[in-house]
Amino acid sequence: MQHLSLKGAYGVSDILIGSGLIQRTAEECIHKFSPSRVHIVTDTHVAPLYLETIRQQFNIPVSVSTIPAGEEHKRLSTVETLYHDFLSAGLTRKDLVIAVGGGVTGDITGFAAATFLRGVSLCQIPTTLLAQVDSSVGGKTGVDLAEGKNLVGAFYQPRLVLIDPQALSTLPAGIFQDGMAEVIKYGCIQNPEILHLVSRPDFKADIDRIIYECVKIKRDIVEVDEHDTGLRMILNFGHTIGHAAEKLGNYTALTHGQAVAIGMVAAMRLSNALGAPEDLVPLLSSLLQQHGLPTELPYGKQDIFNALLSDKKKFADTMNFILVRELGKADIVPLPVSQLQEYIMTI
Ligand code: GLY
């Protein structure tokens, strides 16, 4: 088992990575929190896989909320349902909420834990690759509004994250591929060794190490910029154009990972147009394709430009792009909005 600790503004979080950790949930939670009761939040896809395994480990009262699976339920109404469930279970600030599932479950549960009684302790047990390498670590929680994704939320660190790579064996191939886009992102922005590891046909044999390397990068970045005002923005490599593509597809035509994959190739093309010494586009594209991810924009550049403009914060005259001009090194580059159309034509 590997251990990383993340020192945030309000304390230290422990991140444990190891196969079989789900079987040790109660032991780790009791050791860290000594709660009087726990409340597990999971979704309708994940409950049949892990709920009983986790519940039966505790010899203190356990209550459960099983929310409907899917991004369309990442709403304030789901959070309100959780508050009522917490109250009927008698949860107090001395108790513990455990989120078991992918990014959506983690984000909703994290926000409910951050705000219920002004904060109850939180443990994240991510069961998708994307949640294991990204969303369960770093304390971003929140829900969507009709106007857009993640518009309401809070920074709230889970004090414990239990990452069990064995959980990935039950994932459908497409969901695993989605997480690989984020893994490849970490390789591009910080550690090219990750790209080397995932280029091997038997890369899954090293998945524990790959997850550890990704989480370590995220931990290091979050410790420097927990509230996302500077360095943390490099985690958005591929996400600016990716979000525009997701939006153009009404958030259904492309998965998040597919959009990030397309966005990373576009951002790499932009890096080249702005003078990167080496053309890294073919290398990135072939690695993404090897993992079943798309690399070409399914929308016109003018549509992407319009989608970017509609997202632009009012009155901002620059837009931040994350550029990778050398593998393992990302820069936050504010580009003038007045020249945005010209830049987008290069992707
Ligand atoms: N997923 C990007 C971040 O946590 O900042």
Side-chain angles (χ1 to χ4, degrees):
M1 184 181 72
Q2 287 175 297
H3 175 225
L4 289 163
S5 54
L6 188 160
K7 293 174 200 65
Y10 300 104
V12 177
S13 298
D14 291 305
I15 305 161
L16 308 183
I17 304 164
S19 287
L21 257 179
I22 285 183
Q23 316 299 331
R24 293 193 9 219
T25 301
E27 190 186 321
E28 298 296 346
C29 288
I30 301 292
H31 174 70
K32 174 88 182 169
F33 302 101
S34 312
S36 307
R37 56 171 61 242
V38 301
H39 190 96
I40 300 171
V41 181
T42 188
D43 73 18
T44 44
H45 287 158
V46 176
L49 299 171
Y50 304 112
L51 180 56
E52 275 321 307
T53 313
I54 295 174
R55 192 205 313 241
Q56 68 185 19
Q57 295 168 30
F58 287 93
N59 55 12
I60 54 172
V62 178
S63 43
V64 176
S65 299
T66 303
I67 58 181
E71 177 87 29
E72 66 275 25
H73 300 288
K74 199 171 137 178
R75 297 276 170 186
L76 281 169
S77 54
T78 311
V79 176
E80 189 172 358
T81 304
L82 291 183
Y83 295 149
H84 292 303
D85 290 355
F86 294 168
L87 281 172
S88 19
L91 214 66
T92 72
R93 294 187 68 196
K94 293 198 293 282
D95 297 323
L96 173 67
V97 171
I98 304 176
V100 186
V104 172
T105 300
D107 284 4
I108 297 171
T109 310
F111 185 59
T115 46
F116 181 70
L117 305 178
R118 300 196 178 87
V120 287
S121 296
L122 172 68
C123 166
Q124 290 274 7
I125 304 185
T127 57
T128 64
L129 182 58
L130 190 144
Q132 293 192 346
V133 297
D134 186 27
S135 58
S136 67
V137 174
K140 279 192 181 174
T141 72
V143 294
D144 304 335
L145 295 179
E147 290 87 342
K149 286 173 77 171
N150 297 320
L151 289 176
V152 174
F155 289 99
Y156 190 69
Q157 297 296 345
R159 289 282 162 247
L160 183 64
V161 184
L162 300 178
I163 299 177
D164 185 345
Q166 250 170 34
L168 304 179
S169 60
T170 55
L171 274 190
I175 311 272
F176 185 86
Q177 284 165 358
D178 241 33
M180 285 308 295
E182 298 286 349
V183 169
I184 291 169
K185 174 194 81 178
Y186 284 109
C188 292
I189 63 170
Q190 197 81 255
N191 182 357
E193 173 65 13
I194 294 173
L195 303 180
H196 173 67
L197 287 172
V198 302
S199 68
R200 304 213 306 240
D202 62 345
F203 73 97
K204 284 191 182 168
D206 282 323
I207 199 73
D208 293 32
R209 173 160 172 225
I210 292 168
I211 294 169
Y212 174 81
E213 295 298 338
C214 294
V215 173
K216 190 159 157 304
I217 294 172
K218 180 135 191 196
R219 186 280 307 267
D220 291 347
I221 291 173
V222 171
E223 281 193 343
V224 173
D225 178 25
E226 188 172 355
H227 294 116
D228 204 12
T229 55
L231 180 69
R232 188 165 178 168
M233 283 186 240
I234 68 170
L235 294 171
N236 286 339
F237 175 55
H239 286 59
T240 309
I241 294 165
H243 282 154
E246 268 185 294
K247 187 172 177 178
L248 286 169
N250 284 325
Y251 299 100
T252 51
L254 294 170
T255 63
H256 180 68
Q258 290 171 335
V260 168
I262 291 167
M264 287 194 291
V265 174
M268 210 61 119
R269 288 204 176 102
L270 185 55
S271 307
N272 254 89
L274 290 170
E278 207 183 334
D279 185 0
L280 299 170
V281 174
L283 185 149
L284 175 61
S285 298
S286 72
L287 197 51
L288 291 167
Q289 282 161 8
Q290 184 187 326
H291 288 281
L293 289 159
T295 54
E296 296 304 321
L297 278 170
Y299 307 105
K301 291 175 190 170
Q302 188 62 40
D303 294 332
I304 293 286
F305 168 70
N306 293 340
L308 283 174
L309 265 198
S310 72
D311 261 0
K312 177 177 84 69
K313 287 197 188 71
K314 269 200 177 72
F315 311 122
D317 49 16
T318 59
M319 188 177 278
N320 284 330
F321 279 81
I322 312 307
L323 301 186
V324 170
R325 294 184 261 219
E326 181 185 323
L327 274 189
K329 194 173 172 315
D331 295 312
I332 305 162
V333 181
L335 296 178
V337 168
S338 58
Q339 288 170 45
L340 193 61
Q341 189 161 22
E342 198 182 307
Y343 293 128
I344 294 306
M345 292 307 140
T346 68
I347 64 170

